[in-house]
Amino acid sequence: MRGTETQQRWEQRTQAPLLGLAVVFAVAYAAPIVLPDADPLVHRVCRGVEWAVWGAFAVDYLARLYLAPARWRFVRAQPLSLAVVVLPMIQPLRLLRLVSTLLLAGQRARMAAQVRLTTYVVGSCAGLLMFGSLAVLEVERNAPDGNIRTLEDAVWWSFTTMTTVGYGDLAPTTGWGRLLAVGLMLSGIALLGVVTANIAAWFISRFERDDAVERDRTAAIEALTAEVRALRREVAELSAHGAGGHGEPAGTAPGLLPAPAAERESRPGG
């Protein structure tokens, strides 16, 4: 049975395991680079873990594709999912496979947890910084003319590249290293733009919220003023009706003067 509800239930049940597998994938990717002299068995195990995680994401993608009500629309709307499945076939693009896997896991987590954009941007910056450093260290460590030999050098280079500072003390010399540099530069500019836009959107939303509160307050005051005016008109009308029906002073018959005045007129010489 295929349907939107079934697909949503599948995604809710698999998002936590896939997030854990993405972390395992990151560790398996980083271990051989950080520990190049480790036992070859460790490298083989890490490579096996990478392929196992890829298989899990591939099964998840195929299941979601099968459960999707509109399959072509799902393919067009889920480029990261497709990238995770396709990129392992292109061995030189291992960093892109890692980045797409982590972004997909974060995207799936945001669907339920609604993580704020700022938190997601910070996580993306940290992930690109660390794994960009690992990738450039992997391709530049054994380059004949390379000067990025340690993880510390790679992290420093990635930080200066992502922030577009570019001190020039460290620079990649291989083709893959320069391609990574271009990717980090563009990513840094894009993330900086996202942060700036997010801050601007926060201020705009705050101003709009204040304006909405002020408009509501003004509308409430106007409504209260109109109600007071209506009550005044009703009181005036009631007063007018009362004056027309009971115009003589209380306790006095029509056409007669009050008792003290009548007594004065009846006296001689009054």
Side-chain angles (χ1 to χ4, degrees), residues 155-186:
V155 172
W156 171 251
W157 172 84
S158 296
F159 189 83
T160 57
T161 302
M162 284 190 64
T163 56
T164 66
V165 174
Y167 281 106
D169 54 343
L170 299 173
T173 58
T174 63
W176 283 112
R178 290 171 180 170
L179 183 61
L180 286 169
V182 172
L184 285 177
M185 293 174 192
L186 295 178

Side-chain angles (χ1 to χ4, degrees), residues 133 136-137 140-142 146-150 153-155 157 170-172:
S133 303
V136 77
L137 179 61
E140 292 290 328
R141 173 184 286 156
N142 299 320
N147 54 8
I148 303 176
R149 304 290 185 182
T150 64
D153 292 340
V155 172
W157 172 84
L170 299 173

Side-chain angles (χ1 to χ4, degrees), residues 92-108:
L93 302 182
R94 295 175 65 235
L95 176 64
L96 294 180
R97 176 176 40 166
L98 171 66
V99 172
S100 60
T101 301
L102 295 176
L103 290 178
L104 175 60
Q107 182 188 60
R108 293 286 301 277

Side-chain angles (χ1 to χ4, degrees), residues 60 67 117 121 136 151 169 179 208 260:
D60 172 71
L67 296 173
L117 178 60
V121 169
V136 77
L151 182 60
D169 54 343
L179 183 61
E208 290 179 348

Side-chain angles (χ1 to χ4, degrees), residues 2-248:
R2 295 191 295 118
T4 304
E5 295 182 359
T6 307
Q7 182 184 2
Q8 290 177 352
R9 285 198 300 269
W10 171 270
E11 291 178 350
Q12 291 175 357
R13 292 175 180 175
T14 58
Q15 64 181 2
L18 289 179
L19 182 60
L21 288 176
V23 175
V24 173
F25 186 95
V27 173
Y29 173 83
I33 302 174
V34 177
L35 304 172
D37 299 330
D39 191 275
L41 179 61
V42 175
H43 290 215
R44 289 196 296 269
V45 169
C46 291
R47 184 59 60 87
V49 169
E50 290 183 19
W51 281 105
V53 173
W54 169 80
F57 274 91
V59 170
D60 172 71
Y61 179 81
L62 294 176
R64 293 164 63 200
L65 179 63
Y66 174 76
L67 296 173
R71 295 180 178 178
W72 282 114
R73 184 181 303 172
F74 173 82
V75 173
R76 292 193 299 268
Q78 299 290 333
L80 285 177
S81 301
L82 184 60
V84 170
V85 176
V86 173
L87 286 176
M89 305 303 175
I90 310 174
Q91 285 300 318
L93 302 182
R94 295 175 65 235
L95 176 64
L96 294 180
R97 176 176 40 166
L98 171 66
V99 172
S100 60
T101 301
L102 295 176
L103 290 178
L104 175 60
Q107 182 188 60
R108 293 286 301 277
R110 292 200 318 279
M111 291 173 61
Q114 298 297 324
V115 179
R116 292 181 180 180
L117 178 60
T118 302
T119 304
Y120 184 67
V121 169
V122 170
S124 299
C125 288
L128 286 173
L129 176 66
M130 287 305 301
F131 296 109
S133 303
L134 293 172
V136 77
L137 179 61
E138 183 181 18
V139 299
E140 292 290 328
R141 173 184 286 156
N142 299 320
D145 299 328
N147 54 8
I148 303 176
R149 304 290 185 182
T150 64
L151 182 60
E152 291 79 5
D153 292 340
V155 172
W156 171 251
W157 172 84
S158 296
F159 189 83
T160 57
T161 302
M162 284 190 64
T163 56
T164 66
V165 174
Y167 281 106
D169 54 343
L170 299 173
T173 58
T174 63
W176 283 112
R178 290 171 180 170
L179 183 61
L180 286 169
V182 172
L184 285 177
M185 293 174 192
L186 295 178
S187 300
I189 295 172
L191 290 173
L192 180 61
V194 170
V195 172
T196 304
N198 191 32
I199 295 174
W202 182 84
F203 278 108
I204 292 173
S205 64
R206 182 64 180 269
F207 293 150
E208 290 179 348
R209 185 164 59 250
D210 293 342
D211 290 342
V213 171
E214 186 65 26
R215 287 194 298 268
D216 293 341
R217 186 183 295 112
T218 303
I221 294 174
E222 292 177 353
L224 182 61
T225 303
E227 186 175 355
V228 171
R229 289 175 180 173
L231 290 174
R232 286 180 176 176
R233 286 195 298 270
E234 292 180 3
V235 171
E237 292 174 358
L238 291 174
S239 300
H241 288 308
H246 307 283
E248 297 295 336

